[in-house]
Amino acid sequence: MTVFSQGSLRDLKRHLQCLKSIVHLLAHVAYGCENDGQKTAVHEQATLPAKALAASYEVAHLVAKAQKPHTIAESLILPAAIAMTTAMHGEKIASALKQIPLSNDTVSKRIIEIANDMKCQIIERVKNGMFSLELDESTDVTSVAQLLVFVRYSYEGKLHEDMLFCSPMEGRCTGSDFFNCLNGWMEDAGLQWANCLSICTDGAAAMLGKNKGLKAKVLSVAPHAKFTHCIIHREALASKTLEPELNNVLQTAIQMVNFIKSRPLNTRLFTLLCQEMGSSHESLLFHSEVRWLSRGKVLTRLLELRSEVRTFLSDANSAFAHHLTDSEWIARLAYLSCIFDKLNMLNLSLQGLNTNILTLSDKVNAFTKKLQRWAVRAESGDFEMFSELHDFLEEEDVNVNSLKASINVHLQSLLEKFHQYFPTGNVENYDWIRQPFTSCSSNDLSSELEDVLLELSSDRTIQTSSKASKSLDEFWLSVAQEYPRLSKAAMDILTPFGSTYLCEKTFSSLAYIKNKYRCRLSTVEENLRVAVCSIPPKINLLCSRKQAHPSH
């Protein structure tokens, strides 16, 4: 047995304490490192799926905006993203993309959630102020009638236009059906008819019927609401008038085009002929009665390719060939091409976003004045305003008197139709809206509001600050706090829709989204809303409502 001295015991005790401290330190470091590693792993596990969740919403939003099938996210977008990331940053970073959930069902759910978020934002914006509606009905690829409604409202100092809803209709689609659908949706959304300024529709009897139409039903609950007939529809109706001789030219031209276009062999042979003759175009255009710009484009193309068409029809022994050797017939064709081209230009000028009744009326009034001037010049034998006709008459010997009579009759008929569909109003009464600092009176305003207009026109501060590029609606909304009644009177004119352009444009998107390959799509409204809505979705809010899970 070994006996330690007192000093040796002290040294041993001190040595053991030192070893104990070292072991404790090493254990602490090891435990801390292990904890840090676990924390990093947990953080990565939580962060990556959260980012993946946000990414899935972003991709779903883009898919709906592009109006593509939902399967494209998993079948194309994700593999393409992984391939690009691998090529640029390596497989380690690219592997993180595999956690993004992009299955067909997932994308569909994301689009529904985004659409509902947009819908809630629109309702919150609309319910606290005055608004106007624009609605129209059309049939989709499965013969289901779809009622489409847009709303215009003021928000943050500007007028905004957004899709309110799109709803399938059942039964006969009468005025009562449209009203029940619209009224039910507004009640569910908490919107008040008292805040509805106007409704713009097409001229269908179900919409504007005085007894059983939508107009009669709406006026029973909102007597103050104004109904407007779409200006673009009215222009299209006024443009349809044609005197018999010119109508025969139009119908013959359409038959010529159909003879070539409706037969695949003729179409191919005509293309080869155009290539051999070095033509600027290689095909004709089909005519469609429902397309506003169709007649002008069809006739312009036929006039440009008349030599090629004449050669082709002669080779095919067609009875239509002799028309293209008749100078008077070609002259009438040239006139129709010119006048329909000018009508198309008017139609295009009436289309667009954020238009108002004042600017649209100005364009129609300008065209009416042009018609009057053209009629006077045509009567004197001057056709310079119709360039194609003018050039043709300089090259060919044509009986101008016979042509002049047909053109005069048509121009006068057009003028009568435009006066019928666009009655002359006192547009000067609204000059105070366009030029509040120079127009200090109006028959449209009460004496009290005229006094307020005088105050506004004398306000140098507002006049100086308004020199910045502001639209009419932005200016009148900016003075709402100081001149509320005058601002409201101006916005009552600027807020109503002048046309159903937004509905017509969105029906094109509807036909693209719900096509023959996606005819069983059940979330039509949601996909359409995300596709056309300009309001950004609150993706962070949507993500916060969900627990992130990695893709399996």
Side-chain angles (χ1 to χ4, degrees), residues 54-241:
S56 71
Y57 275 105
E58 295 286 359
V59 172
H61 185 220
L62 292 174
V63 168
K65 274 290 183 185
Q67 304 174 22
K68 297 297 182 182
H70 305 163
T71 53
I72 197 174
E74 191 174 32
S75 63
L76 178 61
I77 296 177
L78 183 58
I82 292 174
M84 289 187 290
T85 307
T86 300
M88 296 186 68
H89 303 290
E91 293 185 1
K92 184 177 180 181
I93 296 178
S95 62
L97 298 180
K98 297 178 181 179
Q99 300 187 53
I100 303 175
L102 291 176
S103 67
N104 178 45
D105 291 342
T106 299
V107 172
S108 298
K109 292 176 182 177
R110 299 283 188 266
I111 291 174
I112 293 173
E113 293 165 7
I114 291 173
N116 289 334
D117 174 68
M118 291 177 170
K119 175 182 172 181
C120 292
Q121 291 189 61
I122 292 172
I123 292 174
E124 287 301 317
R125 291 181 176 191
V126 174
K127 65 169 38 177
N128 295 323
M130 307 300 290
F131 60 87
S132 293
L133 300 177
E134 166 192 327
L135 57 89
D136 200 357
E137 175 265 334
S138 184
T139 304
D140 63 27
V141 69
T142 58
S143 299
V144 175
Q146 301 281 355
L147 178 63
L148 186 58
V149 182
F150 272 80
V151 62
R152 178 182 283 175
Y153 58 94
S154 59
Y155 178 73
E156 293 185 345
K158 291 183 179 180
L159 280 180
H160 295 260
E161 301 169 333
D162 284 301
M163 190 185 98
L164 196 60
F165 70 90
C166 177
S167 176
M169 301 294 297
E170 297 178 352
R172 296 183 178 274
C173 295
T174 62
S176 297
D177 296 330
F178 290 138
F179 175 76
N180 291 335
C181 179
L182 178 60
N183 186 59
W185 200 96
M186 290 181 62
E187 287 181 352
D188 293 341
L191 303 183
Q192 303 295 324
W193 279 111
N195 294 336
C196 180
L197 288 172
S198 69
I199 298 178
C200 181
T201 71
D202 61 8
M207 295 292 184
L208 295 181
K210 295 181 180 179
N211 298 320
K212 298 182 179 180
L214 173 68
K215 179 178 180 180
K217 302 295 182 181
V218 171
L219 291 179
S220 66
V221 296
H224 64 281
K226 296 180 180 179
F227 271 75
T228 55
H229 184 183
C230 170
I231 289 181
I232 300 178
H233 278 83
R234 282 187 277 166
E235 183 274 336
L237 291 171
S239 303
K240 285 186 176 182
T241 178

Side-chain angles (χ1 to χ4, degrees), residues 140-377:
D140 63 27
V141 69
T142 58
S143 299
V144 175
Q146 301 281 355
L147 178 63
L148 186 58
V149 182
F150 272 80
V151 62
R152 178 182 283 175
Y153 58 94
S154 59
Y155 178 73
E156 293 185 345
K158 291 183 179 180
L159 280 180
H160 295 260
E161 301 169 333
D162 284 301
M163 190 185 98
L164 196 60
F165 70 90
C166 177
S167 176
M169 301 294 297
E170 297 178 352
R172 296 183 178 274
C173 295
T174 62
S176 297
D177 296 330
F178 290 138
F179 175 76
N180 291 335
C181 179
L182 178 60
N183 186 59
W185 200 96
M186 290 181 62
E187 287 181 352
D188 293 341
L191 303 183
Q192 303 295 324
W193 279 111
N195 294 336
C196 180
L197 288 172
S198 69
I199 298 178
C200 181
T201 71
D202 61 8
M207 295 292 184
L208 295 181
K210 295 181 180 179
N211 298 320
K212 298 182 179 180
L214 173 68
K215 179 178 180 180
K217 302 295 182 181
V218 171
L219 291 179
S220 66
V221 296
H224 64 281
K226 296 180 180 179
F227 271 75
T228 55
H229 184 183
C230 170
I231 289 181
I232 300 178
H233 278 83
R234 282 187 277 166
E235 183 274 336
L237 291 171
S239 303
K240 285 186 176 182
T241 178
L242 271 181
E243 57 97 18
E245 194 169 3
L246 291 177
N247 187 57
N248 289 335
V249 174
L250 173 62
Q251 297 305 320
T252 303
I254 293 173
Q255 291 173 8
M256 286 181 184
V257 173
N258 292 344
F259 177 80
I260 298 175
K261 291 286 291 181
S262 62
R263 297 170 175 84
L265 176 60
N266 286 353
T267 302
R268 295 195 299 270
L269 294 177
F270 183 75
T271 300
L272 290 175
L273 176 64
C274 291
Q275 292 174 352
E276 292 173 359
M277 297 180 68
S279 307
S280 55
H281 304 289
E282 296 181 357
S283 64
L284 298 171
L285 301 176
F286 261 130
H287 173 258
S288 175
E289 190 65 29
V290 297
R291 295 185 180 274
W292 291 328
L293 311 180
S294 179
R295 286 180 298 180
K297 292 184 176 181
V298 169
L299 296 179
T300 299
R301 181 64 60 86
L302 178 60
L303 184 66
E304 292 175 352
L305 297 178
R306 63 182 182 275
S307 298
E308 292 83 350
V309 174
R310 181 179 65 245
T311 302
F312 183 86
L313 294 178
S314 297
D315 294 343
N317 296 320
S318 172
F320 297 120
H322 75 279
H323 291 292
L324 293 173
T325 60
D326 184 351
S327 297
E328 290 190 12
W329 191 92
I330 297 176
R332 287 176 171 80
L333 177 67
Y335 165 72
L336 288 177
S337 172
C338 293
I339 192 65
F340 284 135
D341 181 62
K342 293 184 180 298
L343 288 167
N344 285 354
M345 292 173 61
L346 171 62
N347 190 293
L348 289 172
S349 70
L350 297 175
Q351 300 178 29
L353 305 175
N354 299 314
T355 58
N356 59 68
I357 294 177
L358 298 182
T359 56
L360 296 182
S361 298
D362 287 346
K363 293 174 181 178
V364 173
N365 291 337
F367 188 81
T368 304
K369 293 177 181 178
K370 290 179 185 178
L371 281 176
Q372 294 173 341
R373 185 177 64 85
W374 295 340
V376 172
R377 298 188 68 172

